[in-house]
Amino acid sequence: MDNLLDLSDRLYLDVADFAHSTPHWFQWLAEVWTELGLLLFGALFLAGWWRSRDRSGEAMALALLAPLATAFGYVVSEGLKSLIDEERPCRAVVGAPAPLVDCPVYGDWSFPSNHSAIAGAAALALALSWRGMAWLTVPMALLMAFSRVFVGVHYPHDVTAGLLLGALIAVLFMKAARRPTRSLVDTARSSRSSAVVWCAGRGPVAPAHAAAHASAHSARRPRARHGAH
């Protein structure tokens, strides 16, 4: 364990030195990304909910569970952080350059990284609820985790643990809550409240209903007039 921690210290110093060698605009991007990534994940949650309104109850259930799984991942990470009093590397590592952002106050412990836990949970939750999104969400999460080391406020092992913890919590949460949430969605879609139905979506149009709608539309279409022969 001590060898792993020593390796993490060395990696932290290497990344910190690299960060200080980069242009100021690149450092600014890294600082912004540590927070902007969270907003982008939030936008993807909204987009996933919107696209699921005309899809199956299963799809809507997963779309609704994605942000909840991410929030639960954060809660678990924060609870673990309160039990492990690991000092931030920006104060603990001897010879480390100054962090690019303010070092968090004493008592705001380092392990695991909450940002990374949120990123890991969001990446997996979105990948489970939105087929084909892993190519976007996984790199986003990895970049967010790396940015926390880059700006100098976390060890590499903090962000690695955060990513894995968040991803694991998201998978377990969505697997456990999928069935009851789907039942809730089906109930909401049959509600008499238009607001509830709008939020849950009407789901896919049944074939019979679609055929009836097409037939009614065809009946309303004016007939072409034929000229005299």
Side-chain angles (χ1 to χ4, degrees):
M1 179 63 70
D2 289 340
N3 290 335
L4 289 176
L5 294 178
D6 289 341
L7 175 60
S8 190
D9 283 1
R10 292 195 297 272
L11 287 174
Y12 172 79
L13 288 171
D14 289 341
V15 173
D17 289 338
F18 167 71
H20 279 268
S21 70
T22 57
H24 287 295
W25 63 266
F26 190 83
Q27 296 176 11
W28 177 82
L29 283 178
E31 294 174 31
V32 171
W33 178 248
T34 62
E35 305 300 335
L36 180 61
L38 299 178
L39 297 178
L40 290 179
F41 276 126
L44 288 174
F45 288 143
L46 287 174
W49 160 74
W50 184 260
R51 71 184 288 274
S52 298
R53 293 174 70 251
D54 61 352
R55 296 174 183 266
S56 67
E58 177 85 2
M60 175 55 77
L62 292 175
L64 293 175
L65 286 173
L68 296 178
T70 302
F72 191 63
Y74 164 75
V75 170
V76 173
S77 175
E78 181 62 27
L80 186 59
K81 183 189 289 282
S82 66
L83 297 176
I84 303 176
D85 300 346
E86 180 188 77
E87 185 56 276
R88 295 277 180 167
C90 39
R91 270 190 296 269
V93 177
V94 178
L100 300 182
V101 298
D102 292 337
C103 194
V105 298
Y106 180 81
D108 185 354
W109 307 117
S110 190
F111 182 89
S113 164
N114 282 342
H115 278 76
S116 300
I118 293 172
L124 261 292
L126 283 166
L128 290 172
S129 64
W130 191 337
R131 186 181 298 275
M133 284 300 290
W135 68 268
L136 174 62
T137 60
V138 171
M140 283 176 59
L142 293 174
L143 284 174
M144 186 179 297
F146 177 75
S147 72
R148 301 304 288 167
V149 182
F150 186 91
V151 300
V153 295
H154 276 293
Y155 292 100
H157 68 266
D158 295 337
V159 299
T160 301
L163 284 172
L164 295 176
L165 176 66
L168 176 62
I169 293 300
V171 170
L172 294 178
F173 182 92
M174 294 184 73
K175 182 176 181 180
R178 183 185 63 180
R179 184 171 296 177
T181 305
R182 178 175 180 175
S183 298
L184 183 62
V185 168
D186 291 340
T187 301
R189 285 179 169 179
S190 62
S191 172
R192 295 183 179 180
S193 170
S194 58
V196 173
V197 173
W198 185 86
C199 291
R202 296 188 179 277
V205 179
H209 179 75
H213 178 76
S215 177
H217 180 72
S218 178
R220 290 195 300 268
R221 185 180 302 169
R223 294 182 178 179
R225 296 183 178 180
H226 299 282
H229 292 284

